[in-house]
């Protein structure tokens, strides 16, 4: 649906509505999209946040309106409070935005507002602390203490910025997983 917004946006020109509609439809009716969209999961939320960051970055580069840069910084903070891998998308995006308009974005007051906006997105971690004060059985650990809070924020129990705990096992599954992916790829087309 995000692709469908651009052609009708007055700032980006006429666009290609048929191509945008086709792309949005292919995504919307993909079996994999439906499979992961029927329940609340952290990865689809991360995808929404990443798409929002991309949309705001493009809007800023087209309009040069600082409100989109501030909203983008807030969205990056929100994304980092959701999932750490967001930084792998946010860092190149920020570098691209700065390279396109460094004279304006690196001004003192603008940079300070961008930092404050990013920190405001991280305020979601206050809920982590408050939730730890009245943790229910089966919760994600004790985040009411400072040490427990940092264990949760850094995802130490799960591995910070890693895709698997046992790298030896991960390496041994690379070839079978790739073969399985390639076998199922035609079914997804």
């Amino acid at each position: 649906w995000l692709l469908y917004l651009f052609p009708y946006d007055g700032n980006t020109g006429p666009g290609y509505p048929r191509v945008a509609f086709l792309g949005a439809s292919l995504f919307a009716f993909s079996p994999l999209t439906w499979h992961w969209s029927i329940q609340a999961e952290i990865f689809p939320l991360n995808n929404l946040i990443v798409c929002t960051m991309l949309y705001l970055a493009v809007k800023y580069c087209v309009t040069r309106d600082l409100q989109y840069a501030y909203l983008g910084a807030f969205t990056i903070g929100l994304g980092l409070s959701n999932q750490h891998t967001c930084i792998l998308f946010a860092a190149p995006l920020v570098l691209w935005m700065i390279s396109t308009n460094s004279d304006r974005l690196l001004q003192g007051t603008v940079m300070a507002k961008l930092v404050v906006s990013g920190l405001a997105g991280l305020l979601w971690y206050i809920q982590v602390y408050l939730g730890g004060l009245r943790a229910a059985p089966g919760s994600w650990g004790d985040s009411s203490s400072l040490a427990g809070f940092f264990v949760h924020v850094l995802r130490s129990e799960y591995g910070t910025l890693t895709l698997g705990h046992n790298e030896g096992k991960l390496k041994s599954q690379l070839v079978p997983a790739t073969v399985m992916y390639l076998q199922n790829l035609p079914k997804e087309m």
Side-chain angles (χ1 to χ4, degrees):
W1 66 267
L2 187 61
L3 292 172
Y4 196 68
L5 292 177
F6 283 113
Y8 293 103
D9 185 66
N11 297 321
T12 59
Y16 301 96
R18 290 186 182 114
V19 173
F21 182 76
L22 176 65
S25 298
L26 288 173
F27 176 75
F29 295 110
S30 166
L32 193 59
T33 301
W34 280 99
H35 175 75
W36 291 109
S37 297
I38 58 175
Q39 63 182 352
E41 286 283 335
I42 196 165
F43 297 113
L45 179 59
N46 185 59
N47 292 343
L48 175 66
I49 291 171
V50 166
C51 287
T52 304
M53 286 187 324
L54 180 61
Y55 176 75
L56 292 170
V58 169
K59 288 292 285 184
Y60 172 75
C61 284
V62 169
T63 65
R64 300 291 189 212
D65 187 352
L66 284 174
Q67 81 176 17
Y68 294 114
Y70 299 141
L71 286 171
F74 173 79
T75 306
I76 288 172
L78 192 63
L80 290 174
S81 68
N82 177 56
Q83 190 173 6
H84 288 155
T85 56
C86 187
I87 193 71
L88 299 174
F89 184 81
L93 190 62
V94 167
L95 291 175
W96 171 65
M97 288 181 66
I98 289 173
S99 72
T100 61
N101 200 11
S102 61
D103 55 330
R104 188 164 184 204
L105 291 176
L106 296 178
Q107 292 176 353
T109 56
V110 173
M111 181 59 85
K113 289 179 183 179
L114 288 169
V115 169
V116 168
S117 297
L119 292 174
L122 291 171
L123 286 177
W124 186 252
Y125 279 122
I126 291 174
Q127 163 57 26
V128 171
Y129 172 75
L130 295 175
L133 294 176
R134 50 181 167 70
S139 66
W140 285 29
D142 177 25
S143 60
S144 63
S145 68
L146 193 58
F149 177 77
F150 280 112
V151 164
H152 181 76
V153 168
L154 296 175
R155 312 307 198 264
S156 299
E157 297 163 336
Y158 306 102
T160 302
L161 293 176
T162 60
L163 298 175
H165 292 291
N166 187 348
E167 279 138 19
K169 185 178 179 184
L170 186 64
K171 288 178 187 173
S172 68
Q173 294 178 357
L174 177 63
V175 173
T178 304
V179 169
M180 187 183 310
Y181 170 75
L182 294 173
Q183 287 172 342
N184 288 319
L185 189 60
K187 296 175 188 173
E188 290 295 323
M189 297 296 184

